Amino acid sequence: MAKIQSKKNSTKKEVIIEKASKLFREKGFGAASMRDLAEDVGVEAASLYNHIQSKAEILQTICFKVANEFMTNLEQVESSSQSTLKKMEAIIRLHIRMMLDQYEYIYISDHEWRHLPEPYLSNFLSQRRSYRKRLGDIIEEGIAKGEMKHIDPYVAVLIILSAISGIDSWQRSRKSTSAEALETNMVKYLIEGLKK
Amino acid sequence: MAKIQSKKNSTKKEVIIEKASKLFREKGFGAASMRDLAEDVGVEAASLYNHIQSKAEILQTICFKVANEFMTNLEQVESSSQSTLKKMEAIIRLHIRMMLDQYEYIYISDHEWRHLPEPYLSNFLSQRRSYRKRLGDIIEEGIAKGEMKHIDPYVAVLIILSAISGIDSWQRSRKSTSAEALETNMVKYLIEGLKK
DNA sequence: AAATATTACTAACACTTGTTAGTAATTTAT
DNA sequence: ATAAATTACTAACAAGTGTTAGTAATATTT
């Protein structure tokens, strides 16, 4: 049956993935070894395979967990009845917050997806393409309704997502600017850039 | 004396670095092997060491080449007598263009610097910090002069650089949007977001 | 307490890694 | 053409890779 390990209410598999996410971010997926991971978990490398099937599976789990979370949120926003600007703001804020408190996961999903084995790689990229397309559709609608300025929707999506993804280089020097100030300023910049 | 190899007027070392930059981007520094690289160059792995000293040296060369290029340009812009908005526009345009026609180099400098060995790593990060600080100073001056809107300069720099860095995910699907349209739209978005 | 299922261990596998020695081939300088 | 320097080759190294078998220890269920 379900095994409850560790101090928190989390499976050992979850512990492994959590430790792995930190390790993969620090050293990169390729350079992080299963023996490194085992040491972090406090176990021998071979023992990991009682809980996971492969190193790649860890990466898959992380990448698709993140992708699904964003996709679910997008569907909620799409089916809501806010203005297109409010929709984009909601999405931007979610991205920023997830970047702030699920940093490791998001970072890996953003930067290490290249190492996904097929067919997961194609699947992931297709999901990402679809996600961006749907963000672009919201912006397109915003332009059509006169709520947003005339700009290439695809480029706008690129800018917004990349800008948020760049918070990773803030994480390492988080003295001067607080998290709240960061979110406020980013939303201001990114939304003002859309407004007509 | 100077050895002229290959078809073009380039040292074999330059050929190696050029091939390496493509390889490092595709597979990541850690996952790219010297044997992979050797095959691309058309030579045995051991022969590479007649021209380079180590795998890490290649990474160093690439990262600092890029860093120096940006730094030189920044100094020119700083000492010019344009408005702060024009200065930022000039910098943004340079970044976009370098991203477009020196894609491999910039990408590696952006994403693979983590694998630099000390003391190069510290050196690189310090240079990067300094670069961003000076960009922030331009924005701060822009705000003080009333040319730019009130925004945290550090966050603005973060957004601008990250947004441009995100062009890498455009490279792979460069059908719909042309390079000129991309630059125009990005400048529009990023500069409008600064203007008062 | 006994039986069962789960997890950790040691040892080893086949393979890949960056790099070095030593030497042959080739290019450049005399 | 001969000498000197440069570059490519083969072979090998020590170390590290993900992963599997087999087994001992531990926890869970009966």
Side-chain angles (χ1 to χ4, degrees), chain B residues 87-152:
Chain B
K87 281 181 182 172
M88 284 309 296
E89 182 174 333
I91 290 166
I92 290 172
R93 284 191 190 275
L94 179 88
H95 272 263
I96 295 175
R97 276 179 207 147
M98 287 200 43
M99 194 70 187
L100 289 175
D101 53 56
Q102 297 200 51
Y103 171 49
E104 321 279 355
Y105 284 31
I106 312 291
Y107 181 89
I108 290 164
S109 168
D110 266 12
H111 293 88
E112 303 291 332
W113 55 262
R114 280 165 197 271
H115 299 97
L116 283 171
E118 290 291 1
Y120 301 96
L121 178 59
S122 299
N123 190 344
F124 181 83
L125 286 179
S126 142
Q127 261 194 261
R128 195 176 75 154
R129 215 175 307 121
S130 159
Y131 184 80
R132 294 186 176 195
K133 172 71 169 54
R134 285 157 75 170
L135 286 195
D137 289 345
I138 296 179
I139 293 179
E140 204 156 11
E141 188 190 337
I143 298 172
K145 287 188 176 169
E147 295 172 2
M148 296 184 186
K149 77 174 53 152
H150 210 79
I151 193 169
D152 185 315

Side-chain angles (χ1 to χ4, degrees), chain A residues 79-107:
Chain A
S79 66
S80 73
S81 52
Q82 318 169 71
S83 72
T84 57
L85 268 173
K86 282 288 174 196
K87 280 181 183 173
M88 283 309 296
E89 182 176 333
I91 291 166
I92 289 173
R93 284 191 190 274
L94 179 87
H95 272 263
I96 294 175
R97 275 179 207 149
M98 286 199 44
M99 195 70 187
L100 289 176
D101 52 56
Q102 296 200 52
Y103 171 50
E104 320 280 354
Y105 283 31
I106 311 291
Y107 181 89

Side-chain angles (χ1 to χ4, degrees), chain A:
Chain A
M1 280 291 155
K3 198 76 179 302
I4 315 278
Q5 313 259 149
S6 193
K7 345 177 176 174
K8 312 183 176 183
N9 288 9
S10 50
T11 310
K12 192 121 200 180
K13 181 168 184 176
E14 290 171 337
V15 173
I16 290 175
I17 291 176
E18 194 186 315
K19 297 278 188 187
S21 67
K22 193 174 291 185
L23 191 68
F24 289 175
R25 177 188 59 79
E26 283 171 2
K27 314 187 67 169
F29 178 77
S33 81
M34 295 302 276
R35 286 166 181 84
D36 288 339
L37 176 56
E39 192 177 11
D40 282 4
V41 178
V43 98
E44 289 301 315
S47 307
L48 296 172
Y49 289 84
N50 285 319
H51 305 94
I52 58 158
Q53 295 200 333
S54 68
K55 188 186 181 189
E57 190 209 19
I58 302 179
L59 186 60
Q60 292 158 30
T61 305
I62 294 174
C63 288
F64 285 97
K65 182 171 136 50
V66 170
N68 288 336
E69 203 155 337
F70 280 126
M71 202 54 109
T72 302
N73 176 262
L74 175 58
E75 278 159 10
Q76 276 187 311
V77 170
E78 280 175 336
S79 66
S80 73
S81 52
Q82 318 169 71
S83 72
T84 57
L85 268 173
K86 282 288 174 196
K87 280 181 183 173
M88 283 309 296
E89 182 176 333
I91 291 166
I92 289 173
R93 284 191 190 274
L94 179 87
H95 272 263
I96 294 175
R97 275 179 207 149
M98 286 199 44
M99 195 70 187
L100 289 176
D101 52 56
Q102 296 200 52
Y103 171 50
E104 320 280 354
Y105 283 31
I106 311 291
Y107 181 89
I108 290 164
S109 168
D110 265 12
H111 292 89
E112 304 292 331
W113 54 262
R114 280 166 197 270
H115 299 96
L116 284 170
E118 291 289 2
Y120 301 96
L121 178 58
S122 298
N123 191 344
F124 181 82
L125 286 179
S126 143
Q127 260 194 262
R128 196 177 74 153
R129 216 175 307 123
S130 158
Y131 184 80
R132 294 185 176 197
K133 172 71 167 58
R134 284 158 75 171
L135 286 195
D137 289 345
I138 295 179
I139 293 180
E140 205 156 10
E141 188 190 335
I143 298 171
K145 286 188 177 170
E147 295 171 1
M148 296 183 187
K149 77 175 53 151
H150 209 79
I151 194 169
D152 185 315
Y154 181 74
V155 175
V157 170
L158 204 62
I159 290 175
I160 291 171
L161 294 185
S162 306
I164 296 166
S165 157
I167 299 180
D168 63 355
S169 72
W170 171 81
Q171 286 277 1
R172 267 157 287 158
S173 56
R174 38 153 87 222
K175 321 170 195 176
S176 45
T177 313
S178 76
E180 301 82 37
L182 184 76
E183 181 175 339
T184 307
N185 277 281
M186 289 204 80
V187 170
K188 187 192 220 173
Y189 197 131
L190 294 177
I191 289 293
E192 285 298 320
L194 285 178
K195 269 191 194 155
K196 192 154 192 178

